[in-house]
DNA sequence: CTCCCGATAT
DNA sequence: ATATCAGGAG
């Protein structure tokens, strides 16, 4: 079976399991999503949602103007529990200033404009573009996508740019947005980093790691 | 490549 | 104690 064929089968199974996937981060505006994704670096979605709930909803701080006018230390306190809080606070403030100066406080759609914002890379830009406007110039590659594609045997290596390019070769374009959701959901539910639950994994027959592990444990699944 | 860094599961 | 969590910049 070619990798393209394998990908199609994996997508079919995961689509059946998860349906139309939704964003795990809570937001009400493009700017809120941009901030939420920025905060999600090396942090769980759950923790990000706790922080953004407090910041956006309870305190009502959710616009570029507000963040641009705030003291850096104040933003640091708000986002502290997500980790990397000094970088994240600085980036949110800087990005807010850029949005006000260049884009009238709105989040631009173009990839090249998004990645020029502070602390916004291809991954964050892909999430925002896909989630807000349904645009898929590329495929979101995060820690889960990286881990699962390597375990399954679709990808070798951990360079996110290369992973994205190779995935774009084997994933049909209409699934460029959903494939990341599927792999992330499966990655959090079943194929967790510490101890992948291969014996109850719906796609273990397509997975190099899963097949090997189950064979070793004498659980023949062929 | 290193650094940023708190919360949580194991 | 340690690995891991929707990464990005220098």
């Amino acid at each position: 079976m070619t990798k393209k064929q394998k990908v199609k089968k994996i997508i079919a199974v995961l689509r059946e399991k998860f349906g139309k996937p939704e964003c795990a981060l809570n937001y009400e505006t493009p700017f809120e999503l941009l901030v939420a994704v920025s905060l999600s670096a090396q942090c769980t979605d759950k923790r990000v949602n706790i922080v953004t709930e407090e910041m956006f909803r309870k305190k009502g701080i959710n616009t570029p103007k507000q963040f641009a006018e705030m003291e850096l230390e104040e933003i640091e306190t708000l986002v502290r529990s997500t980790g990397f809080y000094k970088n994240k606070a600085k980036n949110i403030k800087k990005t807010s200033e850029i949005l006000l100066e260049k884009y009238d406080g709105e989040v631009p759609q173009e990839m090249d404009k998004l990645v020029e914002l502070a602390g916004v890379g291809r991954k964050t830009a892909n999430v925002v573009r896909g989630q807000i406007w349904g645009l898929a110039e590329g495929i979101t590659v995060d820690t889960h996508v990286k881990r699962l594609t390597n375990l399954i045997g679709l990808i070798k290596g951990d360079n996110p740019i290369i992973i994205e390019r190779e995935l774009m070769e084997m994933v049909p374009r209409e699934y460029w947005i959903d494939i990341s959701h599927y792999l992330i959901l499966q990655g959090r539910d079943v194929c967790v980093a510490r101890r992948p639950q291969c014996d109850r994994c719906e796609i273990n027959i397509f997975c190099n790691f899963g097949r090997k592990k189950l064979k070793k444990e004498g659980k023949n699944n062929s």
Side-chain angles (χ1 to χ4, degrees):
Chain A
M1 195 175 356
T2 68
K3 288 183 179 177
K4 272 190 182 179
Q5 291 170 321
K6 196 188 270 194
V7 166
K8 274 193 176 178
K9 289 178 182 294
I10 290 172
I11 288 172
V13 173
L14 295 182
R15 182 170 54 153
E16 185 65 27
K17 176 178 178 182
F18 295 115
K20 191 65 186 169
E22 291 178 16
C23 186
L25 297 168
N26 300 332
Y27 66 94
E28 289 183 6
T29 65
F31 178 71
E32 285 189 8
L33 179 62
L34 182 65
V35 172
V37 180
S38 300
L39 291 177
S40 71
Q42 295 297 294
C43 179
T44 58
D45 288 343
K46 193 176 165 188
R47 169 60 49 185
V48 173
N49 285 333
I50 292 172
V51 168
T52 53
E53 168 71 19
E54 175 72 20
M55 190 159 61
F56 296 157
R57 304 280 86 80
K58 292 187 180 172
K59 292 187 183 296
I61 302 170
N62 63 346
T63 65
K65 184 170 163 59
Q66 287 171 297
F67 284 109
E69 290 173 353
M70 246 190 278
E71 293 296 329
L72 191 56
E73 291 74 16
E74 203 176 335
I75 306 177
E76 288 180 354
T77 303
L78 287 172
V79 304
R80 184 176 178 280
S81 69
T82 65
F84 299 163
Y85 65 93
K86 290 191 176 177
N87 282 340
K88 288 174 180 176
K90 197 191 306 172
N91 288 335
I92 289 170
K93 187 171 170 66
K94 179 65 181 173
T95 285
S96 296
E97 291 167 357
I98 297 173
L99 291 178
L100 284 175
E101 288 171 19
K102 300 181 70 171
Y103 307 112
D104 197 30
E106 299 294 314
V107 179
Q109 294 192 7
E110 294 83 355
M111 174 66 78
D112 55 341
K113 291 181 180 171
L114 284 168
V115 297
E116 282 184 12
L117 301 172
V120 177
R122 243 191 116 72
K123 184 261 170 178
T124 301
N126 271 329
V127 172
V128 172
R129 285 165 51 79
Q131 197 65 37
I132 302 292
W133 300 292
L135 300 171
E137 181 173 316
I139 294 175
T140 300
V141 176
D142 73 330
T143 180
H144 294 292
V145 173
K146 190 192 300 183
R147 184 178 72 257
L148 266 68
T149 53
N150 271 280
L151 288 176
I152 291 168
L154 297 174
I155 303 285
K156 279 194 187 305
D158 61 351
N159 183 323
I161 301 294
I162 296 176
I163 295 174
E164 181 178 0
R165 194 171 64 224
E166 293 187 0
L167 277 180
M168 286 161 73
E169 294 293 323
M170 48 182 117
V171 177
R173 186 176 276 269
E174 64 263 37
Y175 288 108
W176 280 11
I177 294 176
D178 287 350
I179 185 71
S180 301
H181 281 124
Y182 291 148
L183 293 176
I184 290 164
L185 289 168
Q186 188 70 2
R188 288 204 309 212
D189 175 31
V190 179
C191 185
V192 294
R194 287 170 184 274
R195 194 174 179 284
Q197 308 289 304
C198 299
D199 53 346
R200 66 177 184 86
C201 179
E202 296 85 347
I203 56 172
N204 55 17
I205 61 172
F206 306 116
C207 176
N208 287 353
F209 183 83
R211 276 199 303 264
K212 201 179 296 179
K213 186 184 171 193
L214 292 174
K215 189 176 178 184
K216 190 178 171 187
E217 295 174 353
K219 297 175 183 173
N220 197 331
N221 67 311
S222 62

